[in-house]
Coordinates of all heavy atoms in Angstrom, one line a residue:
I8 N 3.1 17.1 10.1 CA 3.1 17.2 11.5 C 3.5 18.6 11.9 O 4.6 19.0 11.6 CB 4.1 16.2 12.2 CG1 3.8 14.8 11.7 CG2 4.0 16.3 13.7 CD1 4.7 13.7 12.2
F9 N 2.6 19.3 12.6 CA 2.9 20.6 13.1 C 3.3 20.5 14.6 O 2.4 20.2 15.4 CB 1.7 21.6 12.9 CG 2.0 22.9 13.5 CD1 3.1 23.7 13.2 CD2 1.0 23.5 14.3 CE1 3.3 24.9 13.8 CE2 1.2 24.8 14.9 CZ 2.4 25.5 14.6
D10 N 4.5 20.5 14.9 CA 5.0 20.3 16.2 C 6.0 21.4 16.6 O 7.2 21.3 16.3 CB 5.7 18.9 16.3 CG 6.2 18.6 17.7 OD1 5.9 19.3 18.6 OD2 6.9 17.6 17.8
P11 N 5.5 22.6 17.1 CA 6.3 23.8 17.2 C 7.6 23.6 18.0 O 8.6 24.1 17.7 CB 5.3 24.7 17.9 CG 4.0 24.2 17.7 CD 4.1 22.8 17.5
K12 N 7.5 22.7 19.0 CA 8.7 22.5 19.8 C 9.5 21.3 19.4 O 10.6 21.0 19.9 CB 8.3 22.3 21.3 CG 7.6 23.5 21.9 CD 8.3 24.0 23.1 CE 7.7 25.4 23.5 NZ 6.8 25.3 24.6
G13 N 9.0 20.6 18.4 CA 9.7 19.4 17.9 C 9.8 18.3 18.9 O 10.7 17.4 18.8
G14 N 8.9 18.3 19.9 CA 9.0 17.4 21.1 C 8.9 15.9 20.7 O 9.7 15.1 21.1
I15 N 7.9 15.6 19.8 CA 7.7 14.1 19.6 C 7.7 13.8 18.1 O 7.5 12.6 17.8 CB 6.4 13.6 20.3 CG1 5.2 14.3 19.7 CG2 6.5 13.8 21.8 CD1 3.9 13.6 20.0
S16 N 7.9 14.8 17.3 CA 7.8 14.5 15.8 C 8.7 13.4 15.4 O 8.3 12.6 14.5 CB 7.9 15.7 15.0 OG 9.1 16.3 15.2
E17 N 10.0 13.4 15.9 CA 10.9 12.4 15.4 C 10.5 11.0 15.8 O 10.5 10.1 15.0 CB 12.3 12.7 16.0 CG 13.5 12.1 15.4 CD 13.6 12.3 13.9 OE1 13.4 13.5 13.4 OE2 13.7 11.4 13.1
R18 N 10.0 10.9 17.1 CA 9.5 9.6 17.5 C 8.3 9.2 16.7 O 8.2 8.0 16.3 CB 9.2 9.7 19.0 CG 9.1 8.4 19.8 CD 9.5 8.6 21.2 NE 8.8 9.7 21.9 CZ 7.6 9.7 22.4 NH1 6.8 8.6 22.3 NH2 7.1 10.8 23.0
L19 N 7.4 10.1 16.5 CA 6.2 9.9 15.7 C 6.6 9.4 14.3 O 6.0 8.4 13.9 CB 5.4 11.2 15.5 CG 4.2 11.3 16.4 CD1 3.5 12.7 16.1 CD2 3.2 10.2 16.2
R20 N 7.5 10.1 13.7 CA 7.9 9.7 12.3 C 8.4 8.3 12.3 O 8.0 7.5 11.4 CB 9.0 10.7 11.9 CG 9.1 10.7 10.4 CD 10.3 11.4 9.9 NE 10.8 12.5 10.6 CZ 11.2 13.7 10.2 NH1 11.0 13.9 8.9 NH2 11.7 14.6 10.9
E21 N 9.2 7.9 13.3 CA 9.7 6.5 13.3 C 8.6 5.5 13.6 O 8.5 4.5 12.9 CB 10.8 6.4 14.4 CG 12.1 6.9 13.9 CD 13.1 7.1 15.1 OE1 12.9 6.6 16.2 OE2 14.1 7.9 14.9
S22 N 7.7 5.9 14.5 CA 6.6 4.9 14.8 C 5.6 4.8 13.7 O 5.0 3.7 13.5 CB 5.8 5.3 16.1 OG 6.6 6.0 16.9
L23 N 5.4 5.8 12.9 CA 4.4 5.8 11.8 C 5.1 5.3 10.5 O 4.4 5.3 9.5 CB 3.8 7.1 11.7 CG 2.9 7.6 12.8 CD1 2.4 9.0 12.6 CD2 1.7 6.7 13.0
D24 N 6.3 5.0 10.6 CA 7.1 4.6 9.4 C 6.4 3.8 8.4 O 6.5 4.0 7.2 CB 8.4 3.9 9.9 CG 9.5 4.0 8.9 OD1 9.4 5.0 8.2 OD2 10.3 3.1 8.9
E25 N 5.6 2.8 8.9 CA 5.0 1.8 8.0 C 3.7 2.3 7.4 O 3.3 1.8 6.4 CB 4.8 0.5 8.7 CG 6.1 -0.2 8.9 CD 5.9 -1.6 9.5 OE1 4.8 -2.0 9.7 OE2 7.0 -2.2 9.8
V26 N 3.1 3.3 8.0 CA 1.8 3.7 7.4 C 1.9 5.1 6.8 O 1.1 5.5 5.9 CB 0.7 3.8 8.5 CG1 0.1 2.5 8.8 CG2 1.2 4.6 9.8
A27 N 2.9 5.9 7.1 CA 2.9 7.3 6.6 C 4.3 7.9 6.4 O 5.3 7.4 7.0 CB 2.2 8.2 7.6
K28 N 4.3 8.8 5.5 CA 5.5 9.6 5.2 C 5.3 11.0 5.8 O 4.3 11.7 5.4 CB 5.7 9.7 3.7 CG 7.0 10.1 3.3 CD 7.2 10.0 1.8 CE 8.4 10.9 1.5 NZ 8.4 11.2 0.1
C29 N 6.1 11.3 6.8 CA 5.7 12.5 7.6 C 6.6 13.7 7.3 O 7.9 13.5 7.1 CB 5.9 12.2 9.1 SG 4.9 10.9 9.6
L30 N 6.0 14.9 7.2 CA 6.8 16.1 7.0 C 6.6 16.9 8.3 O 5.5 17.2 8.7 CB 6.3 16.9 5.8 CG 7.0 18.3 5.6 CD1 8.4 18.1 5.2 CD2 6.2 19.1 4.6
H31 N 7.8 17.1 9.0 CA 7.7 17.9 10.3 C 7.9 19.4 10.0 O 8.9 19.7 9.4 CB 8.7 17.3 11.2 CG 8.9 18.2 12.4 ND1 10.1 18.4 13.0 CD2 8.0 18.9 13.1 CE1 9.9 19.2 14.1 NE2 8.7 19.5 14.1
I32 N 7.0 20.2 10.6 CA 7.1 21.6 10.4 C 7.0 22.3 11.8 O 6.1 21.9 12.6 CB 6.1 22.1 9.4 CG1 6.4 21.6 8.1 CG2 6.0 23.7 9.4 CD1 5.7 22.2 6.9
E33 N 7.8 23.3 12.0 CA 7.8 23.9 13.4 C 7.1 25.2 13.4 O 6.7 25.7 14.5 CB 9.3 24.1 13.9 CG 9.9 22.7 14.2 CD 11.2 22.8 14.9 OE1 11.8 24.0 15.0 OE2 11.7 21.8 15.3
S34 N 7.0 25.9 12.3 CA 6.3 27.2 12.4 C 5.0 27.2 11.6 O 4.8 26.5 10.6 CB 7.2 28.3 11.8 OG 6.8 28.7 10.5
A35 N 4.0 27.9 12.2 CA 2.6 27.9 11.6 C 2.7 28.5 10.2 O 2.0 28.1 9.3 CB 1.6 28.6 12.5
A36 N 3.5 29.5 10.0 CA 3.6 30.2 8.8 C 4.1 29.3 7.7 O 3.6 29.2 6.6 CB 4.5 31.4 8.9
D37 N 5.1 28.5 8.0 CA 5.7 27.5 7.1 C 4.6 26.5 6.7 O 4.5 26.0 5.6 CB 6.9 26.8 7.6 CG 8.1 27.7 7.6 OD1 8.0 28.7 6.9 OD2 9.2 27.3 8.2
A38 N 3.8 26.0 7.8 CA 2.8 25.0 7.5 C 1.8 25.6 6.5 O 1.3 24.9 5.6 CB 2.2 24.6 8.8
Q39 N 1.4 26.8 6.7 CA 0.4 27.4 5.8 C 0.9 27.5 4.4 O 0.2 27.2 3.4 CB 0.1 28.8 6.3 CG -0.6 28.9 7.6 CD -1.8 29.9 7.6 OE1 -2.2 30.4 6.6 NE2 -2.3 30.2 8.8
K40 N 2.2 27.8 4.3 CA 2.8 27.9 3.0 C 2.8 26.6 2.3 O 2.4 26.4 1.1 CB 4.3 28.4 3.2 CG 4.9 29.1 2.0 CD 6.1 29.8 2.3 CE 7.3 29.4 1.4 NZ 8.6 29.7 1.9
V41 N 3.2 25.5 3.0 CA 3.2 24.2 2.5 C 1.8 23.8 2.0 O 1.6 23.2 0.9 CB 3.8 23.2 3.5 CG1 3.6 21.7 3.0 CG2 5.3 23.4 3.7
L42 N 0.8 24.1 2.9 CA -0.5 23.6 2.6 C -1.1 24.4 1.4 O -2.0 23.9 0.7 CB -1.5 23.8 3.8 CG -1.2 22.8 4.9 CD1 -1.9 23.2 6.2 CD2 -1.6 21.4 4.4
R43 N -0.6 25.6 1.1 CA -1.1 26.3 0.0 C -0.7 25.6 -1.3 O -1.4 25.6 -2.3 CB -0.6 27.8 0.0 CG -1.6 28.7 0.7 CD -1.3 30.2 0.3 NE 0.0 30.6 0.8 CZ 0.2 31.1 2.0 NH1 -0.8 31.2 2.9 NH2 1.4 31.4 2.4
S44 N 0.5 25.0 -1.3 CA 0.9 24.3 -2.5 C 0.6 22.8 -2.5 O 0.4 22.2 -3.5 CB 2.4 24.5 -2.8 OG 3.1 24.1 -1.7
T45 N 0.5 22.2 -1.3 CA 0.2 20.8 -1.3 C -0.9 20.5 -0.3 O -0.8 20.7 0.9 CB 1.5 20.0 -0.7 OG1 2.6 20.5 -1.4 CG2 1.3 18.6 -0.8
P46 N -2.1 20.1 -0.9 CA -3.2 19.9 0.0 C -3.1 18.6 0.8 O -3.6 17.6 0.4 CB -4.4 19.9 -0.9 CG -3.8 19.6 -2.3 CD -2.4 19.9 -2.3
Y47 N -2.3 18.6 1.8 CA -2.2 17.3 2.6 C -3.6 16.9 3.1 O -4.4 17.7 3.6 CB -1.3 17.6 3.9 CG 0.2 17.4 3.6 CD1 0.9 18.4 2.9 CD2 0.8 16.3 4.0 CE1 2.2 18.2 2.7 CE2 2.2 16.1 3.7 CZ 2.9 17.1 3.1 OH 4.2 16.9 2.8

Side-chain angles (χ1 to χ4, degrees):
I8 304 179
F9 175 51
D10 182 8
K12 299 232 169 104
I15 62 165
S16 60
E17 197 54 46
R18 198 150 47 83
L19 255 180
R20 200 190 330 226
E21 280 164 17
S22 331
L23 294 173
D24 202 26
E25 285 183 6
V26 281
K28 195 171 160 200
C29 302
L30 174 70
H31 168 218
I32 293 194
E33 291 190 349
S34 101
D37 284 350
Q39 293 222 12
K40 205 167 125 195
V41 168
L42 286 169
R43 269 197 293 277
S44 56
T45 312
Y47 273 77

